[in-house]
Amino acid sequence: MTDNTRALPFRTERFKAFVDAVVAIAMTLLILPLMESVSEAASGHMSTAEFLNEHSGQLLSFGLSFLLIATFWMGHHRQYRDVEWITGPLLWINVAWMATIVWLPVPTAMIGQMDTDALQAVVYIGTLIMTQVTTLAGWLYLARHRELSTVSTQTIRLGAIGDLAAIVLFGAALVIAVAASPNGYYGLLLLLLSDPMSRVLNRLFRSRSHEDGAPPIHAGS
């Protein structure tokens, strides 16, 4: 295989199937610590109520991470739905994205089974931030390589702004989690403000472009 052949973009079918498989495995891994806890509870003749009470943190961390991975997957599906070709750099951006998804069950297990501390919050929420950063990198790459997809400029711009808003909110949640440890994970409720934050950033970028006398900002400009 020549270097020119390696550099050629390729169709997305296997790429999308591979991403779906990785996400499905990561979501499945989230349940394994709970399965082990059930076995331990059975050995200790623990009642269902006692199990639910003792492992409430584990159950909550499972539910939260499962929801987040599902949300990330749905966003990834929308992002690459109209992408027809994948290049090497775009593939590596997605490999980095998948690495954050595969890693997430580890800090999830930490939350459910270990004492909460500030570093734990950094590991967990930091992973979520990196997921959004790699998603944003994908939008920016697609903006500069329009030949790879039929995605509109407006869709790319709004997608990039949405990821930037999520990064800002995850960053704020991380500050709260570290400052308010061990009860700081409630800061993740800030994600409910994703849509308002996206609208604010969109207006900010538009107003700045008008002040500079330039056309509205596009992600790839």
Side-chain angles (χ1 to χ4, degrees), residues 30-215:
L30 291 172
I31 200 66
L32 294 184
L34 274 169
M35 299 299 292
E36 295 176 1
S37 297
V38 169
S39 297
E40 294 172 0
S43 300
H45 303 288
M46 188 180 295
S47 69
T48 301
E50 290 172 333
F51 170 80
L52 294 175
N53 180 63
E54 183 169 326
H55 297 278
S56 58
Q58 203 172 0
L59 292 164
L60 288 173
S61 63
F62 162 77
L64 175 61
S65 292
F66 191 92
L67 177 62
L68 286 169
I69 292 179
T71 301
F72 288 142
W73 176 81
M74 287 186 282
H76 188 277
H77 173 71
R78 289 191 295 269
Q79 183 177 11
Y80 289 91
R81 178 175 51 202
D82 297 320
V83 175
E84 299 175 347
W85 299 96
I86 298 292
T87 62
L90 187 57
L91 178 61
W92 281 108
I93 289 172
N94 279 274
V95 167
W97 180 88
M98 287 185 284
T100 67
I101 297 297
V102 172
W103 168 253
L104 191 58
V106 177
T108 300
M110 291 180 182
I111 295 175
Q113 296 176 288
M114 299 169 59
D115 292 336
T116 302
D117 55 41
L119 182 57
Q120 184 186 101
V122 171
V123 173
Y124 184 75
I125 301 179
T127 301
L128 303 177
I129 291 174
M130 290 308 301
T131 304
Q132 293 292 169
V133 168
T134 51
T135 306
L136 176 60
W139 282 123
L140 297 179
Y141 188 88
L142 290 172
R144 293 181 178 277
H145 299 82
R146 301 306 309 281
E147 72 280 3
L148 299 178
S149 72
T150 59
V151 182
S152 68
T153 300
Q154 176 77 352
T155 298
I156 292 175
R157 184 175 65 83
L158 293 177
I161 289 175
D163 284 318
L164 183 59
I167 291 170
V168 170
L169 293 174
F170 273 130
L174 177 57
V175 172
I176 294 173
V178 171
S181 181
N183 300 312
Y185 285 108
Y186 290 108
L188 288 170
L189 292 173
L190 288 174
L191 292 175
L192 297 174
L193 301 176
S194 292
D195 286 342
M197 176 64 75
S198 295
R199 289 194 290 269
V200 168
L201 290 177
N202 191 26
R203 286 196 296 268
L204 176 63
F205 288 146
R206 286 184 178 278
S207 64
R208 289 190 61 181
S209 68
H210 290 316
E211 289 173 3
D212 294 338

Side-chain angles (χ1 to χ4, degrees), residues 5-40:
T5 303
R6 292 192 186 97
L8 290 175
F10 53 89
R11 290 286 186 178
T12 60
E13 288 81 2
R14 291 186 64 189
F15 158 76
K16 293 177 180 178
F18 181 59
V19 170
D20 290 347
V22 168
V23 172
I25 291 171
M27 295 177 80
T28 302
L29 289 175
L30 291 172
I31 200 66
L32 294 184
L34 274 169
M35 299 299 292
E36 295 176 1
S37 297
V38 169
S39 297
E40 294 172 0

